[in-house]
Amino acid sequence: MKEQIEQIRKNAISEVEKATDLRQLEEIRVKYSGKKSELTVASREISTLPKSERPVMGGLINQVKKEIEQLIKEKEKALAKEELTKKLETEKIDITLPSIKVKRGSKHPLTRITEEVEDIYVSMGYNVVSGPELETDEFCFERLNIPKGHPARDMQDTFYITSEYLLRTQTSSMQARTMEDNKEKTPIRIICPGKTYRRDDDATHSHQFNQVESLVIDKNISVADLKGTLEMFVRKMLGEDLDIRLRPSYFPFTEPSYEVDVTCFKCKGKGCNLCKQTGWIEILGSGMVHPNVLRANGYDPEIYGGFAIGVGLDRLAMFKYDIPDIRLLYQNDVRFLNQFDKCDRN
Ligand code: DAH
């Protein structure tokens, strides 16, 4: 029996040595220490031996069992380490390889302009609001003192969905909506940037364009407030050294109404092609909110007053970035759009 155990020991040692992976090693472990292993069978046979030999044989079997277990443990560690090293080697990443370049996009010039306008107005305490592009005749025209049949409608022909619903021609519709919503008659200071539509199509007019409307309603508002706001806006937007001038004009929803010119930022007022040698460029419309508009939207013109400003964002972008044709803003030609890429880096 002693020889038999010695043989088992030798076999186990040689098999463990030969094992090349953890799965094989597990099989060996089961073979030598499982319930049906030769050593377990041998230990059951101890009872058939003479009494005096039993402790010696028992001791020997236990010792061999322990030895094999220990061997397997060590081999297990060695194999695990080997496998890890192999894995690390095959999965090695060469960090010196140049990376794949991700092409950065850039903001659309109209988005840039809109965000700039918003920043300037927000810094003066205004809220930014947005309103529906599919508008009613009532809010787009009637409530702004432009009744049906008014000649001012001729300049703002648009896409009619029904006789009541249309695509808004001006963000001025948000003047009426904001006043309507403000039941508590708290002071209003809002701007509304957004898309507008008209039946137009040439180098300076698109059927879809963008405007930003400003509206202030409060007690004791004067033209001085309007002029100060305009100066601040123009200087922050186009250049600190620029002046503005107000020219009398006509808009149905303001009285008095002004067209606002700014010193030509290309020639600084000397006269050039852009300003047609006048030194001035017309950039927006504005005025004091008409009493009829206040009344139509629930305000008593004896108590409240205000001013409104309407700016064409496309026009502003064309001036600021020297864009010759408004349609470039809507064609999504990447050769055009990529040119604004550099502006975003600053
Ligand atoms: N809504 C006018 C337009 O589209 C622009 C405008 C002019 C807006 C004067 C105003 C304003 O708020 O006061 O032609």
Side-chain angles (χ1 to χ4, degrees):
M1 193 170 193
K2 203 176 165 197
E3 292 83 49
Q4 187 199 344
I5 290 166
E6 188 53 34
Q7 192 55 47
I8 294 172
R9 183 176 161 270
K10 275 189 189 150
N11 290 348
I13 292 173
S14 108
E15 279 178 44
V16 169
E17 253 170 31
K18 280 187 207 141
T20 53
D21 61 41
L22 292 170
R23 198 180 47 78
Q24 272 179 24
L25 198 64
E26 178 58 17
E27 277 167 17
I28 297 167
R29 197 183 60 75
V30 173
K31 183 170 170 191
Y32 288 98
S33 59
K35 274 185 192 141
K36 287 176 192 157
S37 74
E38 290 169 278
L39 283 177
T40 313
V41 175
S43 52
R44 269 191 225 120
E45 281 167 10
I46 289 178
S47 55
T48 64
L49 296 174
K51 256 195 177 151
S52 59
E53 286 179 30
R54 288 181 198 173
V56 183
M57 209 47 72
L60 182 66
I61 291 176
N62 275 343
Q63 187 200 324
V64 171
K65 249 189 189 170
K66 269 191 196 141
E67 194 184 344
I68 295 173
E69 265 168 29
Q70 185 61 27
L71 270 177
I72 289 179
K73 246 189 213 160
E74 277 163 22
K75 183 75 178 181
E76 199 176 351
K77 265 191 206 158
L79 282 178
K81 205 172 156 192
E82 218 173 83
E83 271 179 26
L84 182 67
T85 319
K86 236 193 254 165
K87 215 172 164 189
L88 284 177
E89 244 157 49
T90 51
E91 290 175 7
K92 203 152 90 182
I93 301 166
D94 183 354
I95 55 162
T96 63
L97 278 174
S99 63
I100 301 160
K101 286 227 161 57
V102 179
K103 209 166 171 312
R104 251 184 76 150
S106 60
K107 280 182 188 164
H108 191 279
L110 282 172
T111 308
R112 298 170 53 80
I113 285 283
T114 308
E115 287 179 354
E116 259 181 71
V117 173
E118 286 176 359
D119 282 350
I120 295 169
Y121 273 101
V122 166
S123 79
M124 294 194 277
Y126 285 65
N127 284 333
V128 180
V129 301
S130 65
E133 288 167 34
L134 181 60
E135 192 44 284
T136 58
D137 185 277
E138 181 186 355
F139 280 98
C140 196
F141 296 125
E142 301 265 349
R143 293 228 196 174
L144 294 171
N145 202 28
I146 316 175
K148 291 200 170 66
H150 192 291
R153 288 198 181 207
D154 286 356
M155 287 187 300
Q156 302 200 5
D157 195 12
T158 182
F159 302 88
Y160 283 85
I161 311 303
T162 64
S163 58
E164 180 56 20
Y165 282 95
L166 45 85
L167 293 185
R168 68 177 176 195
T169 57
Q170 48 186 0
T171 44
S172 307
S173 52
M174 278 309 285
Q175 289 190 26
R177 286 196 177 273
T178 309
M179 282 190 255
E180 163 88 9
D181 289 348
N182 188 27
K183 301 280 185 245
E184 298 82 26
K185 306 281 181 285
T186 46
I188 292 174
R189 246 183 271 124
I190 57 112
I191 61 162
C192 172
K195 293 193 189 80
T196 43
Y197 303 83
R198 285 186 204 178
R199 219 201 62 182
D200 282 337
D201 183 21
D202 62 41
T204 51
H205 296 91
S206 157
H207 67 278
Q208 182 213 290
F209 54 108
N210 286 267
Q211 288 188 336
V212 57
E213 192 78 14
S214 322
L215 178 70
V216 169
I217 301 282
D218 205 347
K219 293 170 186 161
N220 305 316
I221 298 289
S222 75
V223 177
D225 298 308
L226 169 62
K227 193 162 181 246
T229 307
L230 286 171
E231 257 169 13
M232 178 78 139
F233 170 69
V234 162
R235 290 184 180 154
K236 285 250 182 311
M237 193 75 203
L238 298 167
E240 288 293 340
D241 52 347
L242 302 176
D243 274 324
I244 57 166
R245 85 179 171 185
L246 305 189
R247 273 185 296 108
S249 183
Y250 172 77
F251 298 105
F253 38 85
T254 45
E255 180 58 35
S257 303
Y258 308 100
E259 244 152 59
V260 179
D261 296 343
V262 58
T263 324
C264 177
F265 30 85
K266 203 165 177 187
C267 65
K268 299 279 182 260
K270 286 192 207 81
C272 69
N273 283 348
L274 184 67
C275 61
K276 301 194 185 90
Q277 311 305 328
T278 62
W280 295 96
I281 287 177
E282 187 214 317
I283 58 156
L284 55 88
S286 68
M288 306 308 288
V289 179
H290 198 293
N292 286 352
V293 174
L294 288 167
R295 241 178 260 119
N297 296 292
Y299 280 76
D300 181 352
E302 297 299 326
I303 303 172
Y304 296 97
F307 64 78
I309 306 170
V311 187
L313 288 169
D314 309 70
R315 197 170 155 74
L316 214 52
M318 287 167 80
F319 282 141
K320 191 149 177 170
Y321 302 126
D322 211 359
I323 300 167
D325 191 322
I326 192 172
R327 288 168 289 203
L328 286 166
L329 291 170
Y330 296 99
Q331 284 162 347
N332 284 336
D333 185 333
V334 283
R335 289 168 302 178
F336 168 74
L337 296 174
N338 276 346
Q339 296 174 48
F340 298 90
D341 178 9
K342 289 165 203 81
C343 310
D344 284 342
R345 300 265 153 90
N346 305 330

